[in-house]
């Protein structure tokens, strides 16, 4: 089908995508997963050891939490942790994401015969919030998605040549899956091999006999090669018993244990049910979730008229969905490797998709943008912020907000442009989201250079609300020796200043901390709070954003000597 949209509109959306993915790459507040800081800790500790293996960590039970490829990547990109920045840690993830989008473009363009549809597939995948959230931070997901997807995209691109290949494709697929396992987990060979089996089954016109005769040996070679690459970890690590105990049994086999009442009950109800797996898989599309739902409805109606490639894309999705419904711990994150297939289906059916899914996407975008504008306006005029430091946005922020809102409203009323504007506006929302917290990335949210110099090689206690939180503080206080205490105690100034010699405490905006006579303030910055009571949430909805969403963090020097606190258990660990 000839695409009704132009190359110009696709290139404009592509520019918005490039802007969204590059902007704020080094931001502490960029959408991410909590695994990033534990991974950073393992990279830093392993780099400090001067050896690639074994992996090093001070966290209890979190050392061999993932295979070493992702940590070696971090060591290489930061030059053995000597150039320690979020940007250096994250740019390889961004490269993996860009390569996945590029190969998705090539595959769809080839079998569809239309480059615009191929570009659209790549852009739709990049517009998914799951891609944005997991495809930029320092996580194992970008390499996993790339290496798992590549063999399936190769089959879609080369078609018969790949399916009939007796050596090259099995070698390529085995190496790709091997790198995927070496980046995330050996468990991914199960859905990957299952999906590949379904591909060959469809190619042989649903004949088990033909698959067994002509393709079974290929599948065995692929699985053996992939597991062989993964097993290098055991061969190279001087302590393979720890890998077996912590990673194989703890990280993977433990996901089959009943989490609530029983395995079967967990399957049909609760936070790990199959229904929640389906819901979170669709939610991976983010603002395009309803577009994805409309696409799946259309696929069901057209199921008797599928092309070969459409069938293969759906088999790819089905295989992963079935396999990851088996563990008792179920999450839409496990389905990230099939999101390119969903994006390809949306692109293929783009012209036939109803407008209602895109209009809901635009309404969601309008809601998010309006909320961000309202919060930003309240922060900029807030008396609490004014007393403690100026929260100001540049003109570029408000221009970006105005353009984004105008474009979304325009898309709601222009039927011929609704779809492309909804796609482009996803990237604008991501840009505004990052821009809204930009003041905290500047002077307001960081310690002064004098404070950083003053704290070199000194023991500082900081609040921890999740493991390896101190890795974030290492970006703010490089050179300090950091220790953690429970974040819930951060406002208990009297207790903290009587316990620790040098401690970070939290004080509401507009209020000066009450200190002991011998206590002195070493530094100060503004921080965003993560958890709030119901009363605080209600007050924020009434406009008191600055009062509860943010706090001032003071670094206080006390007369307490360094005692036994250095030997106490670090909460961040």
């Amino acid at each position: 089908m000839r695409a009704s949209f132009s190359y110009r509109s696709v290139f404009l959306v592509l520019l918005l995508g490039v802007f969204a993915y590059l902007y704020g790459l080094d931001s502490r507040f960029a959408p991410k997963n909590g695994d990033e800081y534990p991974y950073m800790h393992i990279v830093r500790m392993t780099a400090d050891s001067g050896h690639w293996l074994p992996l090093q960590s001070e966290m209890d039970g979190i050392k061999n939490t993932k295979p070493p490829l992702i940590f070696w990547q971090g060591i290489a990109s930061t030059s053995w942790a000597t150039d320690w920045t979020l940007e250096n840690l994250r740019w390889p993830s961004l490269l993996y994401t860009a390569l996945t989008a590029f190969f998705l473009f090539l595959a769809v363009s080839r079998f569809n015969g239309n480059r615009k549809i191929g570009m659209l597939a790549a852009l739709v995948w990049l517009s998914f919030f799951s891609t944005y959230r997991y495809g930029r931070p320092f996580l194992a997901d970008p390499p996993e998605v790339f290496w798992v997807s590549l063999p399936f995209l190769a089959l879609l691109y080369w078609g018969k040549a790949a399916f009939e290949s007796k050596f090259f494709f099995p070698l390529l697929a085995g190496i790709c899956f091997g790198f995927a396992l070496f980046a995330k987990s050996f468990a991914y060979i199960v859905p990957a091999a299952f999906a590949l089996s379904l591909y060959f089954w469809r190619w042989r016109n649903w004949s088990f006999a033909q698959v067994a005769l002509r393709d079974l040996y290929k599948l065995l070679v692929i699985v053996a090669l992939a597991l062989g690459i993964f097993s290098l970890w055991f061969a190279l690590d001087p302590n393979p018993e720890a890998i077996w105990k912590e990673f194989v049994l703890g990280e993977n086999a433990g996901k089959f244990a009943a989490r609530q009442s029983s395995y079967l009950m967990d399957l049909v109800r609760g936070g790990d049910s199959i229904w929640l797996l389906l819901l979170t898989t669709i939610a991976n599309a983010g603002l395009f979730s309803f577009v994805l739902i409309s696409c799946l409805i259309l696929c069901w109606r057209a199921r008797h008229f599928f092309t070969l490639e459409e069938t293969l894309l759906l088999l790819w999705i089905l295989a992963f969905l079935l396999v990851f419904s088996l563990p008792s711990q179920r999450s839409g994150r496990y389905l990230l490797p099939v999101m390119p297939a969903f994006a390809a289906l949306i692109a293929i059916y783009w012209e036939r998709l109803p407008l209602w899914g895109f209009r809901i996407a635009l309404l969601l975008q309008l809601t998010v943008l309006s909320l961000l504008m309202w919060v930003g306006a309240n922060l900029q005029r807030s008396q609490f912020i004014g007393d403690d430091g100026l929260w100001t946005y540049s003109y570029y922020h408000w221009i970006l907000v105005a353009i984004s809102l105008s474009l979304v409203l325009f898309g709601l009323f222009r039927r011929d442009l609704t779809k492309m504007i909804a796609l482009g506006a996803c990237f604008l929302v991501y840009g505004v989201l990052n821009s809204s917290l930009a003041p905290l990335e500047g002077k307001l949210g960081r310690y002064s250079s004098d404070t950083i110099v003053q704290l070199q090689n000194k023991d500082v206690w900081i609040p921890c609300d999740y493991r390896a939180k101190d890795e974030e503080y290492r970006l703010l206080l490089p050179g300090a020796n950091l220790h953690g205490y429970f974040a819930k105690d951060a406002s208990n100034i009297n207790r903290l200043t009587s316990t620790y010699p040098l401690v970070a405490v939290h004080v509401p905006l507009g209020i000066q901390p009450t200190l002991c006579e011998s206590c002195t303030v070493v530094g100060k910055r503004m921080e965003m709070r993560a958890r709030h009571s119901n009363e605080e949430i209600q007050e924020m909805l009434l406009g008191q954003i600055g009062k509860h969403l943010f706090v001032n963090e003071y670094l206080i020097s006390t007369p307490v000597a360094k005692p036994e606190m250095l030997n106490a258990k670090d909460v961040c660990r």
Side-chain angles (χ1 to χ4, degrees):
M1 181 181 290
R2 184 175 178 273
S4 61
F5 51 89
S6 64
Y7 273 114
R8 183 171 60 180
S9 62
V10 173
F11 278 117
L12 286 174
V13 175
L14 176 61
L15 290 176
L16 291 177
V18 172
F19 160 74
Y21 273 78
L22 291 177
Y23 179 53
L25 183 63
D26 61 343
S27 172
R28 292 183 296 120
F29 304 101
K32 58 180 180 290
N33 179 269
D35 290 340
E36 185 174 42
Y37 289 131
Y39 289 2
M40 289 171 60
H41 173 77
I42 295 173
V43 168
R44 184 176 58 81
M45 294 298 296
T46 305
D48 287 347
S49 75
H51 302 283
W52 295 100
L53 287 172
L55 299 175
Q56 301 293 327
S57 171
E58 293 178 345
M59 294 180 289
D60 293 339
I62 301 182
K63 180 182 289 185
N64 296 301
T65 183
K66 287 290 180 290
L69 185 61
I70 179 67
F71 306 114
W72 291 351
Q73 170 190 305
I75 290 173
S77 66
T78 61
S79 301
W80 289 85
T82 59
D83 198 358
W84 193 250
T85 64
L86 284 176
E87 186 175 7
N88 284 335
L89 284 163
R90 289 173 176 173
W91 72 256
S93 297
L94 193 61
L95 178 61
Y96 272 120
T97 299
L99 288 173
T100 304
F102 177 69
F103 285 113
L104 177 60
F105 154 71
L106 289 180
V108 176
S109 298
R110 180 67 174 265
F111 74 71
N112 186 267
N114 190 326
R115 287 187 178 180
K116 284 191 285 187
I117 299 298
M119 293 180 68
L120 187 62
L123 290 171
V124 169
W125 179 67
L126 290 172
S127 75
F128 291 163
F129 184 68
S130 61
T131 308
Y132 183 74
R133 180 186 178 188
Y134 296 107
R136 299 198 318 154
F138 177 60
L139 297 169
D141 303 282
E144 168 217 351
V145 171
F146 173 75
W147 291 115
V148 169
S149 301
L150 199 56
F152 298 104
L153 296 177
L155 286 169
L156 291 167
Y157 182 87
W158 280 307
K160 181 180 180 180
F163 277 109
E164 300 296 344
S165 172
K166 297 180 180 180
F167 174 76
F168 178 74
F169 177 76
L171 178 65
L172 171 68
I175 292 174
C176 289
F177 287 159
F179 279 120
L181 307 190
F182 211 46
K184 190 68 178 276
S185 171
F186 67 91
Y188 273 85
I189 194 60
V190 179
F194 182 39
L196 212 53
S197 302
L198 295 180
Y199 265 47
F200 282 110
W201 186 33
R202 172 60 188 90
W203 180 253
R204 302 302 177 192
N205 293 315
W206 312 108
S207 171
F208 283 113
Q210 286 296 310
V211 171
L213 183 65
R214 305 176 66 176
D215 303 310
L216 180 59
Y217 79 93
K218 301 178 190 177
L219 293 169
L220 294 176
V221 168
I222 291 170
V223 171
L225 183 56
L227 291 175
I229 292 175
F230 172 79
S231 66
L232 290 175
W233 186 13
F234 288 87
L236 297 174
D237 197 293
N239 191 9
E241 296 84 3
I243 300 173
W244 178 262
K245 180 181 177 181
E246 297 170 19
F247 183 72
V248 177
L249 299 180
E251 182 77 10
N252 289 272
K255 289 183 169 61
F256 284 87
R259 294 167 65 84
Q260 301 296 331
S261 53
S262 69
Y263 177 85
L264 290 178
M265 294 305 296
D266 288 347
L267 180 66
V268 296
R269 71 178 186 184
D272 292 294
S273 68
I274 183 67
W275 317 117
L276 196 63
L277 175 64
L278 294 172
L279 182 63
T280 53
T281 299
I282 292 174
N284 280 337
L287 296 167
F288 255 39
S289 294
F290 287 92
V291 175
L292 177 56
I293 291 172
S294 69
C295 179
L296 294 176
I297 292 173
L298 199 58
C299 285
W300 174 256
R301 292 173 179 171
R303 63 189 181 278
H304 299 299
F305 307 100
F306 283 155
T307 64
L308 171 64
E309 291 79 15
E310 290 168 15
T311 303
L312 295 177
L313 289 169
L314 288 166
L315 289 175
W316 179 4
I317 296 168
L318 180 63
F320 274 72
L321 185 61
L322 288 175
V323 170
F324 283 113
S325 66
L326 297 178
S328 56
Q329 182 178 332
R330 302 174 185 90
S331 169
R333 186 178 178 184
Y334 299 148
L335 276 296
L336 290 179
V338 303
M339 295 312 294
F342 280 123
L345 288 170
I346 290 175
I348 293 168
Y349 283 91
W350 186 265
E351 299 293 344
R352 289 172 279 175
L353 290 176
L355 288 179
W356 63 263
F358 295 92
R359 283 176 173 156
I360 293 177
L362 287 168
L363 289 173
L364 291 173
Q365 292 160 0
L366 182 64
T367 301
V368 173
L369 290 169
S370 300
L371 182 62
L372 290 173
M373 182 180 69
W374 176 74
V375 170
N378 273 278
L379 286 172
Q380 187 150 306
R381 72 185 184 193
S382 171
Q383 59 176 328
F384 294 101
I385 301 291
D387 289 341
D388 295 89
L390 196 58
W391 182 289
T392 56
Y393 291 111
S394 68
Y395 290 116
Y396 296 110
H397 170 77
W398 294 115
I399 291 172
L400 178 62
V401 172
I403 290 175
S404 302
L405 283 169
S406 300
L407 191 63
V408 168
L409 290 171
F410 188 67
L412 283 169
F413 296 102
R414 281 292 300 268
R415 291 175 55 90
D416 57 326
L417 297 175
T418 294
K419 294 181 179 181
M420 289 305 294
I421 288 178
L423 179 59
C426 288
F427 300 116
L428 288 173
V429 169
Y430 301 151
V432 172
L433 181 62
N434 271 307
S435 182
S436 295
L437 291 172
L440 286 181
E441 293 294 347
K443 230 169 126 182
L444 195 64
R446 295 183 178 274
Y447 291 111
S448 67
S449 56
D450 291 340
T451 299
I452 294 173
V453 171
Q454 190 176 347
L455 295 180
Q456 291 296 297
N457 299 316
K458 291 189 176 179
D459 294 296
V460 182
W461 277 261
I462 50 99
C464 276
D465 51 5
Y466 53 85
R467 300 186 83 171
K469 170 75 172 180
D470 59 308
E471 295 301 331
E472 178 179 356
Y473 275 84
R474 290 181 196 283
L475 302 169
L476 299 168
L477 293 170
N481 301 320
L482 301 174
H483 313 276
Y485 67 84
F486 288 111
K488 62 183 177 62
D489 300 324
S491 59
N492 193 339
I493 299 177
N494 290 334
R495 178 170 176 269
L496 293 173
T497 54
S498 62
T499 305
Y500 304 109
L502 194 54
V503 62
V505 302
H506 287 172
V507 179
L509 299 180
I511 297 177
Q512 294 297 322
T514 303
L515 304 177
C516 64
E517 291 184 4
S518 302
C519 296
T520 57
V521 175
V522 178
K524 171 188 168 185
R525 71 183 184 98
M526 188 180 293
E527 178 65 309
M528 185 170 68
R529 288 181 58 197
R531 296 173 181 175
H532 305 87
S533 66
N534 292 333
E535 293 77 12
E536 290 172 339
I537 293 174
Q538 290 175 4
E539 289 189 21
M540 284 192 291
L541 292 174
L542 293 175
Q544 299 186 48
I545 306 296
K547 182 179 178 181
H548 297 300
L549 189 58
F550 300 95
V551 293
N552 275 329
E553 184 174 272
Y554 288 87
L555 276 172
I556 300 175
S557 176
T558 76
V560 176
K562 288 185 180 180
E564 57 290 351
M565 297 312 303
L566 285 174
N567 300 320
K569 179 176 173 59
D570 194 327
V571 172
C572 293
R573 299 290 173 258

